[in-house]
Amino acid sequence: MARIARGVALAGLALALASCGGRQPLKPVAGQKLPAVPVGAATAPTAAQLTAPSIQARPERNVELLTQSKVRGEDEFDLPPESEPR
């Protein structure tokens, strides 16, 4: 019985934590100004535009898989470390 009660309590806690996320559009705090209009832009960006990641922040994945092993070629810059003068 105690095991079932613990499971029900844990499920209730998980449900309560999962339901506490807000899905409302972002609004500025009362008394705070919106960000300045960028130079060259006609209008100020919206909250959705400001929070959306750019292409540079989330690049597309490169799915180039190595299908065969290749012997590494000579590297003319792979030099041993210089010895320190005494």
Side-chain angles (χ1 to χ4, degrees):
M1 275 302 201
R3 188 179 263 180
I4 294 173
R6 186 180 294 168
V8 170
L10 186 60
L13 179 64
L15 182 64
L17 285 176
S19 65
C20 68
R23 296 279 182 193
Q24 301 159 353
L26 296 175
K27 297 179 216 165
V29 177
Q32 237 181 358
K33 296 190 304 185
L34 290 172
V37 178
V39 175
T43 60
T46 64
Q49 291 171 332
L50 289 172
T51 56
S54 68
I55 297 295
Q56 196 169 17
R58 295 189 64 157
E60 290 186 18
R61 186 176 189 144
N62 184 2
V63 192
E64 183 180 327
L65 300 175
L66 181 64
T67 55
Q68 295 180 346
S69 297
K70 297 181 182 178
V71 178
R72 183 180 283 192
E74 286 293 319
D75 184 6
E76 60 185 89
F77 298 104
D78 186 19
L79 303 172
E82 294 182 18
S83 59
E84 295 183 21
R86 292 184 181 223

Coordinates of all heavy atoms in Angstrom, one line a residue:
M1 N 0.8 -1.2 0.0 CA 0.0 0.0 0.0 C 0.9 1.3 0.0 O 0.5 2.2 -0.7 CB -0.9 0.0 1.2 CG -2.2 -0.7 1.1 SD -3.1 -0.1 -0.3 CE -4.7 -0.6 0.1
A2 N 1.9 1.3 0.8 CA 2.7 2.5 0.9 C 3.5 2.7 -0.4 O 3.7 3.9 -0.8 CB 3.8 2.3 2.0
R3 N 3.8 1.6 -1.1 CA 4.5 1.8 -2.4 C 3.5 2.4 -3.4 O 4.0 3.2 -4.2 CB 4.9 0.4 -2.8 CG 5.8 0.4 -4.0 CD 6.3 -1.0 -4.4 NE 7.6 -1.2 -3.9 CZ 8.3 -2.3 -4.0 NH1 7.7 -3.3 -4.6 NH2 9.5 -2.4 -3.5
I4 N 2.3 2.0 -3.4 CA 1.3 2.6 -4.4 C 1.1 4.1 -4.1 O 1.0 4.9 -5.0 CB 0.0 1.8 -4.3 CG1 0.2 0.4 -4.9 CG2 -1.1 2.5 -5.2 CD1 -1.0 -0.6 -4.7
A5 N 0.9 4.4 -2.8 CA 0.7 5.8 -2.4 C 1.9 6.6 -2.8 O 1.7 7.8 -3.2 CB 0.5 5.8 -0.9
R6 N 3.1 6.1 -2.6 CA 4.3 6.8 -3.0 C 4.3 7.1 -4.5 O 4.7 8.2 -5.0 CB 5.5 6.1 -2.6 CG 6.8 6.9 -2.8 CD 8.0 6.2 -2.4 NE 8.0 6.0 -1.0 CZ 8.9 5.2 -0.3 NH1 9.8 4.5 -1.0 NH2 8.8 5.1 1.0
G7 N 3.9 6.1 -5.3 CA 3.9 6.2 -6.7 C 2.8 7.2 -7.2 O 3.1 8.0 -8.1
V8 N 1.7 7.2 -6.5 CA 0.6 8.2 -6.9 C 1.1 9.6 -6.5 O 0.9 10.6 -7.3 CB -0.7 7.9 -6.1 CG1 -1.7 9.0 -6.3 CG2 -1.3 6.6 -6.7
A9 N 1.7 9.8 -5.4 CA 2.2 11.1 -5.0 C 3.3 11.6 -5.9 O 3.3 12.8 -6.3 CB 2.8 11.0 -3.5
L10 N 4.2 10.7 -6.3 CA 5.2 11.1 -7.3 C 4.6 11.4 -8.6 O 5.1 12.4 -9.2 CB 6.2 9.9 -7.5 CG 7.4 10.2 -8.3 CD1 8.3 11.3 -7.7 CD2 8.3 8.9 -8.4
A11 N 3.6 10.7 -9.1 CA 3.0 11.1 -10.3 C 2.3 12.4 -10.2 O 2.3 13.2 -11.2 CB 2.0 10.0 -10.7
G12 N 1.6 12.7 -9.1 CA 1.0 14.0 -8.9 C 2.0 15.1 -8.9 O 1.7 16.2 -9.4
L13 N 3.1 14.9 -8.3 CA 4.2 15.9 -8.2 C 4.7 16.2 -9.6 O 4.9 17.3 -10.0 CB 5.3 15.5 -7.3 CG 6.5 16.4 -7.2 CD1 6.0 17.8 -6.6 CD2 7.6 15.8 -6.4
A14 N 4.9 15.1 -10.4 CA 5.4 15.3 -11.8 C 4.4 16.0 -12.6 O 4.7 16.9 -13.5 CB 5.7 13.9 -12.4
L15 N 3.1 15.7 -12.5 CA 2.0 16.4 -13.2 C 2.0 17.9 -12.8 O 1.8 18.8 -13.7 CB 0.7 15.8 -12.9 CG -0.5 16.4 -13.7 CD1 -0.3 16.2 -15.2 CD2 -1.8 15.7 -13.2
A16 N 2.1 18.2 -11.5 CA 2.1 19.6 -11.1 C 3.3 20.4 -11.6 O 3.2 21.5 -12.1 CB 2.1 19.7 -9.6
L17 N 4.5 19.7 -11.7 CA 5.6 20.4 -12.2 C 5.5 20.6 -13.7 O 6.0 21.6 -14.3 CB 6.9 19.6 -11.9 CG 7.4 19.7 -10.5 CD1 8.6 18.8 -10.3 CD2 7.8 21.1 -10.1
A18 N 4.9 19.7 -14.4 CA 4.8 19.8 -15.9 C 3.8 20.8 -16.3 O 3.9 21.4 -17.4 CB 4.4 18.4 -16.5
S19 N 2.8 21.1 -15.4 CA 1.8 22.1 -15.8 C 2.1 23.5 -15.4 O 1.3 24.4 -15.6 CB 0.5 21.7 -15.1 OG 0.6 21.8 -13.7
C20 N 3.3 23.8 -14.8 CA 3.5 25.1 -14.4 C 4.2 26.0 -15.4 O 4.5 27.1 -15.1 CB 4.4 25.1 -13.1 SG 6.0 24.5 -13.3
G21 N 4.4 25.5 -16.6 CA 5.0 26.3 -17.7 C 4.0 27.2 -18.3 O 2.9 26.8 -18.6
G22 N 4.4 28.5 -18.5 CA 3.4 29.5 -19.1 C 3.5 29.4 -20.6 O 4.5 29.2 -21.2
R23 N 2.4 29.7 -21.3 CA 2.3 29.7 -22.7 C 1.7 31.0 -23.2 O 1.0 31.1 -24.2 CB 1.4 28.6 -23.2 CG 1.9 27.2 -22.9 CD 2.9 26.9 -24.0 NE 3.4 25.5 -23.7 CZ 4.4 25.0 -24.3 NH1 5.1 25.7 -25.1 NH2 4.8 23.8 -24.0
Q24 N 1.9 32.1 -22.5 CA 1.4 33.4 -22.9 C 2.5 34.2 -23.6 O 3.7 34.0 -23.4 CB 1.0 34.2 -21.6 CG 0.0 33.4 -20.8 CD 0.0 33.9 -19.4 OE1 0.8 34.7 -19.0 NE2 -1.0 33.4 -18.6
P25 N 2.1 35.1 -24.5 CA 3.1 35.9 -25.2 C 3.8 36.8 -24.3 O 3.3 37.2 -23.2 CB 2.2 36.7 -26.2 CG 0.8 36.6 -25.7 CD 0.7 35.4 -24.9
L26 N 5.0 37.1 -24.6 CA 5.9 37.9 -23.7 C 5.4 39.4 -23.8 O 5.1 39.9 -24.9 CB 7.3 37.8 -24.1 CG 8.0 36.4 -23.9 CD1 9.4 36.4 -24.5 CD2 8.0 36.0 -22.5
K27 N 5.4 40.0 -22.7 CA 5.1 41.5 -22.6 C 6.1 42.2 -21.8 O 6.7 41.6 -20.9 CB 3.7 41.7 -22.0 CG 2.6 41.0 -22.7 CD 1.3 41.3 -21.9 CE 0.4 40.1 -22.1 NZ -0.7 40.0 -21.1
P28 N 6.4 43.4 -22.1 CA 7.4 44.1 -21.3 C 6.8 44.4 -19.9 O 5.6 44.5 -19.7 CB 7.6 45.5 -22.0 CG 6.4 45.6 -22.9 CD 5.9 44.2 -23.2
V29 N 7.7 44.4 -18.9 CA 7.4 44.7 -17.5 C 6.9 46.2 -17.4 O 7.4 47.1 -18.1 CB 8.6 44.5 -16.6 CG1 8.2 44.9 -15.2 CG2 9.1 43.1 -16.7
A30 N 5.9 46.4 -16.6 CA 5.3 47.7 -16.5 C 6.4 48.7 -16.1 O 7.2 48.5 -15.1 CB 4.2 47.7 -15.5
G31 N 6.5 49.8 -16.8 CA 7.5 50.9 -16.4 C 8.8 50.7 -17.2 O 9.7 51.5 -17.1
Q32 N 9.0 49.6 -17.9 CA 10.2 49.4 -18.6 C 10.0 49.7 -20.1 O 8.9 49.4 -20.7 CB 10.6 47.9 -18.5 CG 12.0 47.7 -17.9 CD 12.4 46.3 -17.9 OE1 11.6 45.4 -18.2 NE2 13.6 46.0 -17.4
K33 N 11.0 50.2 -20.8 CA 10.9 50.6 -22.2 C 11.3 49.4 -23.0 O 12.0 48.5 -22.6 CB 11.9 51.7 -22.5 CG 11.5 53.0 -21.8 CD 12.4 54.2 -22.3 CE 13.8 53.9 -22.2 NZ 14.7 55.0 -22.6
L34 N 10.7 49.4 -24.2 CA 11.1 48.3 -25.2 C 12.5 48.6 -25.7 O 12.9 49.7 -25.6 CB 10.0 48.3 -26.3 CG 8.6 47.8 -26.0 CD1 7.7 48.0 -27.1 CD2 8.7 46.3 -25.6
P35 N 13.1 47.6 -26.3 CA 14.4 47.9 -26.9 C 14.4 48.9 -28.0 O 13.3 49.1 -28.7 CB 14.9 46.5 -27.5 CG 14.0 45.5 -26.8 CD 12.7 46.2 -26.4
A36 N 15.5 49.6 -28.2 CA 15.5 50.6 -29.3 C 15.4 50.0 -30.6 O 15.7 48.8 -30.9 CB 16.8 51.4 -29.2
V37 N 14.9 50.8 -31.6 CA 14.7 50.3 -32.9 C 16.1 50.3 -33.5 O 16.9 51.2 -33.5 CB 13.8 51.3 -33.7 CG1 13.7 50.8 -35.2 CG2 12.5 51.4 -33.1
P38 N 16.5 49.1 -34.1 CA 17.9 49.0 -34.7 C 18.0 50.0 -35.9 O 17.1 50.3 -36.6 CB 17.9 47.6 -35.2 CG 16.8 46.8 -34.5 CD 15.8 47.8 -34.2
V39 N 19.3 50.4 -36.1 CA 19.6 51.3 -37.2 C 19.2 50.7 -38.5 O 19.6 49.5 -38.8 CB 21.1 51.7 -37.2 CG1 21.4 52.6 -38.4 CG2 21.4 52.4 -35.9
G40 N 18.4 51.4 -39.3 CA 18.1 50.8 -40.7 C 16.8 50.1 -40.7 O 16.3 49.7 -41.7
A41 N 16.2 49.7 -39.5 CA 14.9 49.0 -39.4 C 13.8 50.0 -39.4 O 13.9 51.1 -38.8 CB 14.9 48.1 -38.2
A42 N 12.7 49.6 -40.0 CA 11.5 50.5 -40.0 C 10.7 50.4 -38.7 O 10.2 51.4 -38.3 CB 10.6 50.0 -41.2
T43 N 10.7 49.3 -38.1 CA 9.9 49.1 -36.8 C 10.8 48.4 -35.8 O 11.8 47.7 -36.2 CB 8.6 48.3 -37.0 OG1 9.0 47.0 -37.5 CG2 7.7 49.0 -38.0
A44 N 10.4 48.4 -34.6 CA 11.1 47.7 -33.5 C 10.7 46.2 -33.6 O 9.6 45.9 -34.0 CB 10.6 48.3 -32.1
P45 N 11.7 45.4 -33.3 CA 11.4 43.9 -33.3 C 10.4 43.5 -32.2 O 10.4 44.1 -31.2 CB 12.8 43.3 -33.1 CG 13.6 44.3 -32.5 CD 13.1 45.6 -32.9
T46 N 9.6 42.5 -32.5 CA 8.7 42.0 -31.5 C 9.4 41.1 -30.6 O 10.5 40.7 -30.8 CB 7.5 41.2 -32.2 OG1 8.1 40.1 -32.9 CG2 6.8 42.1 -33.2
A47 N 8.7 40.7 -29.5 CA 9.3 39.8 -28.5 C 9.6 38.4 -29.2 O 10.6 37.8 -28.9 CB 8.3 39.6 -27.4
A48 N 8.7 38.0 -30.1 CA 9.0 36.7 -30.8 C 10.2 36.8 -31.6 O 11.0 35.8 -31.7 CB 7.8 36.3 -31.6
Q49 N 10.4 37.9 -32.3 CA 11.6 38.1 -33.2 C 12.9 38.1 -32.3 O 13.9 37.6 -32.7 CB 11.5 39.3 -34.0 CG 10.4 39.2 -35.1 CD 10.2 40.5 -35.8 OE1 10.4 41.6 -35.2 NE2 9.7 40.5 -37.0
L50 N 12.8 38.7 -31.1 CA 14.0 38.9 -30.3 C 14.3 37.6 -29.6 O 15.5 37.3 -29.3 CB 13.7 39.9 -29.2 CG 13.7 41.4 -29.7 CD1 13.2 42.3 -28.5 CD2 15.0 41.8 -30.2
T51 N 13.4 36.7 -29.4 CA 13.7 35.4 -28.7 C 13.9 34.3 -29.7 O 14.4 33.2 -29.3 CB 12.5 35.0 -27.8 OG1 11.3 35.0 -28.5 CG2 12.4 36.0 -26.6
A52 N 13.7 34.4 -31.0 CA 13.9 33.4 -32.0 C 15.4 33.3 -32.3 O 16.0 34.4 -32.5 CB 13.1 33.7 -33.2
P53 N 16.0 32.1 -32.2 CA 17.5 32.0 -32.5 C 17.7 32.3 -34.0 O 16.9 31.9 -34.8 CB 17.8 30.6 -32.1 CG 16.6 29.9 -32.1 CD 15.5 30.8 -31.8
S54 N 18.9 32.9 -34.3 CA 19.2 33.2 -35.6 C 19.8 31.9 -36.3 O 20.1 30.9 -35.6 CB 20.3 34.3 -35.7 OG 21.5 33.9 -35.1
I55 N 20.0 32.0 -37.6 CA 20.6 30.9 -38.3 C 22.0 30.6 -37.8 O 22.4 29.5 -37.7 CB 20.6 31.2 -39.8 CG1 19.2 31.3 -40.4 CG2 21.4 30.1 -40.6 CD1 18.3 30.0 -40.3
Q56 N 22.7 31.7 -37.5 CA 24.1 31.5 -37.0 C 24.1 30.9 -35.6 O 25.0 30.1 -35.3 CB 24.7 32.9 -36.9 CG 26.2 32.8 -36.8 CD 26.8 34.2 -37.0 OE1 26.2 35.2 -36.9 NE2 28.1 34.2 -37.3
A57 N 23.1 31.1 -34.8 CA 23.0 30.5 -33.5 C 22.6 29.1 -33.5 O 23.0 28.3 -32.7 CB 22.0 31.3 -32.6
R58 N 21.8 28.7 -34.5 CA 21.4 27.3 -34.7 C 21.6 26.8 -36.1 O 20.7 26.8 -36.9 CB 19.9 27.2 -34.3 CG 19.6 27.5 -32.9 CD 18.2 27.1 -32.6 NE 18.0 25.7 -32.8 CZ 17.1 25.0 -32.2 NH1 16.2 25.6 -31.5 NH2 17.0 23.7 -32.4
P59 N 22.9 26.5 -36.4 CA 23.2 26.1 -37.8 C 22.6 24.8 -38.1 O 22.3 24.0 -37.2 CB 24.7 26.1 -37.8 CG 25.1 25.8 -36.4 CD 24.1 26.5 -35.5
E60 N 22.4 24.5 -39.4 CA 21.9 23.2 -39.8 C 23.0 22.2 -39.6 O 24.2 22.4 -39.6 CB 21.5 23.3 -41.3 CG 20.3 24.1 -41.6 CD 19.8 24.0 -43.0 OE1 20.3 23.1 -43.7 OE2 19.1 24.9 -43.4
R61 N 22.5 21.0 -39.4 CA 23.4 19.9 -39.2 C 24.1 19.4 -40.4 O 23.4 19.2 -41.5 CB 22.7 18.8 -38.5 CG 23.5 17.7 -38.0 CD 22.7 16.6 -37.3 NE 23.7 15.7 -36.7 CZ 23.5 15.1 -35.6 NH1 22.5 15.4 -34.9 NH2 24.4 14.3 -35.1
N62 N 25.4 19.1 -40.4 CA 26.1 18.6 -41.5 C 26.2 17.1 -41.3 O 26.8 16.6 -40.3 CB 27.5 19.2 -41.6 CG 28.2 18.7 -42.8 OD1 27.7 17.9 -43.6 ND2 29.5 19.2 -42.9
V63 N 25.6 16.3 -42.1 CA 25.5 14.9 -41.9 C 26.5 14.1 -42.8 O 26.1 13.2 -43.5 CB 24.1 14.3 -42.1 CG1 23.9 12.9 -41.6 CG2 23.1 15.2 -41.4
E64 N 27.7 14.6 -42.9 CA 28.7 14.0 -43.7 C 29.4 12.9 -42.9 O 30.1 13.2 -42.0 CB 29.7 15.0 -44.2 CG 30.8 14.4 -45.1 CD 31.8 15.5 -45.5 OE1 31.4 16.7 -45.6 OE2 32.9 15.2 -45.7
L65 N 29.1 11.6 -43.2 CA 29.6 10.5 -42.4 C 30.9 10.0 -43.0 O 31.0 10.0 -44.3 CB 28.6 9.4 -42.3 CG 27.3 9.8 -41.7 CD1 26.3 8.6 -41.8 CD2 27.5 10.1 -40.2
L66 N 31.8 9.6 -42.2 CA 33.0 9.0 -42.7 C 32.7 7.6 -43.0 O 32.4 6.8 -42.1 CB 34.1 9.1 -41.6 CG 35.5 8.5 -42.0 CD1 36.1 9.3 -43.1 CD2 36.4 8.6 -40.8
T67 N 32.8 7.2 -44.3 CA 32.5 5.8 -44.7 C 33.7 4.9 -44.8 O 33.6 3.7 -44.7 CB 31.7 5.8 -46.0 OG1 32.5 6.5 -47.0 CG2 30.4 6.5 -45.8
Q68 N 34.8 5.5 -45.0 CA 36.1 4.7 -45.1 C 37.2 5.4 -44.4 O 37.3 6.6 -44.4 CB 36.5 4.5 -46.6 CG 35.5 3.7 -47.4 CD 35.9 3.6 -48.9 OE1 36.8 4.3 -49.3 NE2 35.3 2.7 -49.6
S69 N 38.1 4.5 -43.8 CA 39.2 5.1 -43.2 C 40.2 5.5 -44.2 O 40.4 4.9 -45.3 CB 39.9 4.0 -42.3 OG 39.0 3.7 -41.2
K70 N 40.9 6.6 -44.0 CA 41.9 7.1 -44.9 C 43.2 7.3 -44.1 O 43.2 7.8 -43.0 CB 41.5 8.4 -45.5 CG 40.3 8.2 -46.4 CD 39.9 9.6 -47.0 CE 38.6 9.4 -47.9 NZ 38.2 10.7 -48.4
V71 N 44.3 7.0 -44.7 CA 45.6 7.3 -44.1 C 45.9 8.8 -44.1 O 45.7 9.4 -45.2 CB 46.7 6.5 -44.9 CG1 48.1 6.8 -44.3 CG2 46.5 5.0 -44.9
R72 N 46.3 9.3 -43.0 CA 46.6 10.7 -42.9 C 47.8 11.1 -43.7 O 48.8 10.4 -43.6 CB 46.7 11.2 -41.5 CG 46.9 12.6 -41.3 CD 47.1 13.0 -39.9 NE 45.8 13.0 -39.2 CZ 45.6 13.4 -38.0 NH1 46.6 13.9 -37.3 NH2 44.4 13.4 -37.5
G73 N 47.7 12.1 -44.5 CA 48.9 12.5 -45.3 C 49.9 13.3 -44.5 O 49.7 13.5 -43.3
E74 N 51.1 13.6 -45.1 CA 52.1 14.3 -44.4 C 51.7 15.7 -44.1 O 51.0 16.4 -44.9 CB 53.4 14.3 -45.3 CG 54.1 13.0 -45.4 CD 54.7 12.6 -44.1 OE1 55.3 13.4 -43.4 OE2 54.6 11.4 -43.8
D75 N 52.1 16.1 -42.9 CA 51.8 17.5 -42.5 C 53.2 18.2 -42.3 O 53.9 17.9 -41.4 CB 51.0 17.5 -41.2 CG 50.6 18.9 -40.7 OD1 50.9 19.8 -41.5 OD2 50.0 19.0 -39.6
E76 N 53.4 19.2 -43.1 CA 54.7 19.9 -43.0 C 54.8 20.7 -41.8 O 55.9 21.2 -41.4 CB 55.0 20.7 -44.3 CG 53.9 21.8 -44.5 CD 54.1 22.5 -45.8 OE1 53.5 22.0 -46.8 OE2 54.8 23.5 -45.8
F77 N 53.7 21.0 -41.1 CA 53.8 21.8 -39.9 C 53.8 21.0 -38.6 O 53.7 21.6 -37.5 CB 52.6 22.8 -39.9 CG 52.6 23.8 -41.1 CD1 51.8 23.6 -42.1 CD2 53.5 24.8 -41.1 CE1 51.8 24.5 -43.2 CE2 53.6 25.7 -42.2 CZ 52.7 25.5 -43.2
D78 N 53.8 19.7 -38.7 CA 53.8 18.8 -37.6 C 55.2 18.7 -37.1 O 55.9 17.7 -37.4 CB 53.2 17.5 -37.9 CG 53.0 16.6 -36.7 OD1 53.1 17.1 -35.5 OD2 52.8 15.4 -36.8
L79 N 55.7 19.7 -36.4 CA 57.1 19.7 -36.0 C 57.3 19.3 -34.5 O 56.3 19.6 -33.7 CB 57.7 21.1 -36.2 CG 57.7 21.5 -37.7 CD1 58.1 23.0 -37.7 CD2 58.5 20.7 -38.6
P80 N 58.4 18.8 -34.1 CA 58.6 18.5 -32.6 C 58.7 19.8 -31.9 O 59.1 20.8 -32.5 CB 59.8 17.7 -32.6 CG 60.6 18.0 -33.8 CD 59.5 18.3 -34.9
P81 N 58.4 19.8 -30.6 CA 58.6 21.1 -29.8 C 60.1 21.5 -29.8 O 61.0 20.6 -29.7 CB 58.0 20.8 -28.5 CG 57.9 19.3 -28.4 CD 57.9 18.8 -29.8
E82 N 60.3 22.8 -29.7 CA 61.7 23.3 -29.6 C 62.2 23.0 -28.2 O 61.5 23.1 -27.3 CB 61.7 24.8 -29.9 CG 61.3 25.1 -31.3 CD 61.5 26.6 -31.6 OE1 62.1 27.3 -30.8 OE2 60.9 27.1 -32.6
S83 N 63.5 22.7 -28.2 CA 64.1 22.5 -26.8 C 64.4 23.9 -26.3 O 64.8 24.8 -27.0 CB 65.3 21.6 -27.0 OG 66.3 22.2 -27.8
E84 N 64.3 24.0 -25.0 CA 64.6 25.3 -24.3 C 66.1 25.4 -24.1 O 66.8 24.5 -23.8 CB 63.9 25.3 -23.0 CG 62.4 25.3 -23.1 CD 61.7 25.5 -21.7 OE1 62.4 25.9 -20.8 OE2 60.5 25.1 -21.6
P85 N 66.6 26.7 -24.3 CA 68.1 26.9 -24.1 C 68.4 26.8 -22.6 O 67.6 27.1 -21.8 CB 68.3 28.3 -24.7 CG 67.0 28.9 -24.7 CD 66.0 27.8 -24.8
R86 N 69.6 26.3 -22.3 CA 70.0 26.1 -20.9 C 70.9 27.3 -20.5 O 71.6 27.9 -21.1 CB 70.7 24.8 -20.7 CG 69.8 23.7 -20.9 CD 70.5 22.4 -20.6 NE 69.5 21.3 -20.8 CZ 69.4 20.3 -20.0 NH1 70.1 20.2 -19.0 NH2 68.5 19.4 -20.3

